[in-house]
Amino acid sequence: MEIVRNPDGSLIVPIREVRHHEEAEDAAPALDETGDAAEAPTTRVLHAGEGGYNEALAEWDAQQNPDRAPAVSTASGREEAMHVVHVVADSPEHDVAAALDEVNDSEASGEALRHVLVGGNPSVQAFSGEVAEAEGGEPLPAHKMTKIIGEVLAELDK
């Protein structure tokens, strides 16, 4: 099953099957309201800021183009990516498409953002600090930065 990205940025991710131990096989199965054996859920919804969200977003992005080479960040791509996320964060309309119109190399910006996601939460937090230092303002919380990165990548993949 593939990861699904909802319009609000949340992700529907598959839940890996839990391994069963021999001792647990003797235990009675969980029952639902009707008395039948309850089935374990197969998916879970993750929101920005929840554990595993950054990794799931990076995996979702890789699913959009499975033939894409590993993300490589260039200095110019990273600078433009910082500018884009800053503009989106400061925009009252949260207009990602308009922010991307200012970018000279959208591919390099996208690669820089993918590179940030692959690094997980510490990388996102560090990137947020870099954006604040380069563009001004306070660093965004990692979950907000991750959500904006996801919105930018989704717009780039259109």
Side-chain angles (χ1 to χ4, degrees):
M1 176 182 180
E2 289 192 356
I3 295 172
V4 176
R5 184 176 183 278
N6 295 320
D8 68 354
S10 62
L11 301 169
I12 301 173
V13 298
I15 296 176
R16 292 185 175 87
E17 191 172 324
V18 178
R19 292 180 9 182
H20 300 281
H21 299 284
E22 289 180 29
E23 299 165 3
E25 288 180 14
D26 295 334
L31 303 178
D32 63 15
E33 304 85 38
T34 64
D36 295 330
E39 290 188 30
T42 58
T43 61
R44 176 176 179 216
V45 177
L46 291 176
H47 299 278
E50 287 186 273
Y53 182 87
N54 291 351
E55 294 81 0
L57 184 59
E59 192 174 328
W60 168 83
D61 183 61
Q63 288 175 358
Q64 303 312 298
N65 188 351
D67 297 330
R68 182 185 308 133
V72 177
S73 182
T74 62
S76 62
R78 192 167 180 95
E79 287 173 9
E80 287 193 325
M82 288 191 292
H83 180 70
V84 167
V85 296
H86 177 74
V87 168
V88 171
D90 280 354
S91 168
E93 297 85 33
H94 211 68
D95 191 357
V96 177
L100 284 170
D101 286 342
E102 300 177 24
V103 172
N104 293 322
D105 189 351
S106 60
E107 186 174 328
S109 297
E111 288 300 299
L113 293 174
R114 288 179 178 91
H115 192 264
V116 169
L117 284 180
V118 169
N121 201 47
S123 178
V124 173
Q125 288 174 333
F127 183 71
S128 181
E130 287 178 50
V131 171
E133 187 175 314
E135 300 287 332
E138 294 294 316
L140 290 175
H143 70 279
K144 288 184 180 180
M145 179 61 73
T146 302
K147 185 174 180 185
I148 291 172
I149 291 171
E151 291 169 355
V152 171
L153 292 175
E155 184 68 27
L156 286 172
D157 286 339
K158 284 185 179 178

